[in-house]
Amino acid sequence: MATVRAFSASILSHIKAEHAETCFKPIFVNGHWRSPRFSLRRQAELRKACTLNGVDPASIGMPPPAPPKVMQKKPPKGHKQQRQYAAKQAVIQKNMEDMPEKIRKWKEEKLKAKPVLPF
């Protein structure tokens, strides 16, 4: 629910006058950025005062409001163990499929390496 705003006399006087575009945007002078005459907070107050008093903000020289920025949707990072779980399970599954062949080879090598003792 909106509340009734009481604007200061200075804000209301700025609504009646027309301002240059440089009053609302920072400018680059002699290698340095110079602040705008109206800060972003004051610009927001001016815009609200204009709409409440029936004045078009563009008529006093205000630039149109900036469009809202799109938020980037990133998945939560999570723990390293959770991130690598699927890849680790795939490696384990592949190794389990190869296990009978590995066991067979191991048994063959074990039998070859085992010396036969004569009695």
Side-chain angles (χ1 to χ4, degrees):
M1 185 168 135
T3 59
V4 177
R5 285 284 306 245
F7 293 102
S8 66
S10 65
I11 292 289
L12 295 175
S13 68
H14 287 302
I15 291 175
K16 297 172 186 167
E18 192 169 326
H19 302 283
E21 187 179 335
T22 56
C23 293
F24 300 103
K25 294 184 179 180
I27 54 175
F28 194 69
V29 178
N30 295 335
H32 300 283
W33 284 99
R34 187 173 290 173
S35 300
R37 181 173 175 203
F38 298 108
S39 67
L40 291 176
R41 183 170 61 92
R42 294 284 182 216
Q43 288 180 36
E45 286 180 355
L46 278 172
R47 190 174 306 281
K48 290 174 190 174
C50 284
T51 55
L52 288 176
N53 290 322
V55 178
D56 182 30
S59 67
I60 64 169
M62 288 191 75
K69 294 182 179 179
V70 177
M71 296 289 292
Q72 292 182 348
K73 301 283 184 177
K74 288 175 51 177
K77 184 176 178 183
H79 295 283
K80 184 176 181 181
Q81 179 181 1
Q82 293 170 339
R83 290 192 313 262
Q84 296 177 343
Y85 182 78
K88 186 176 180 179
Q89 289 300 317
V91 169
I92 290 172
Q93 185 63 34
K94 180 184 168 288
N95 288 339
M96 289 303 292
E97 290 169 359
D98 297 340
M99 193 56 65
E101 181 65 26
K102 288 181 182 179
I103 291 173
R104 188 186 57 76
K105 286 182 181 177
W106 174 78
K107 283 184 179 180
E108 288 176 0
E109 289 174 6
K110 183 178 175 186
L111 289 175
K112 288 180 185 175
K114 187 175 183 181
V116 179
L117 296 175
F119 285 103

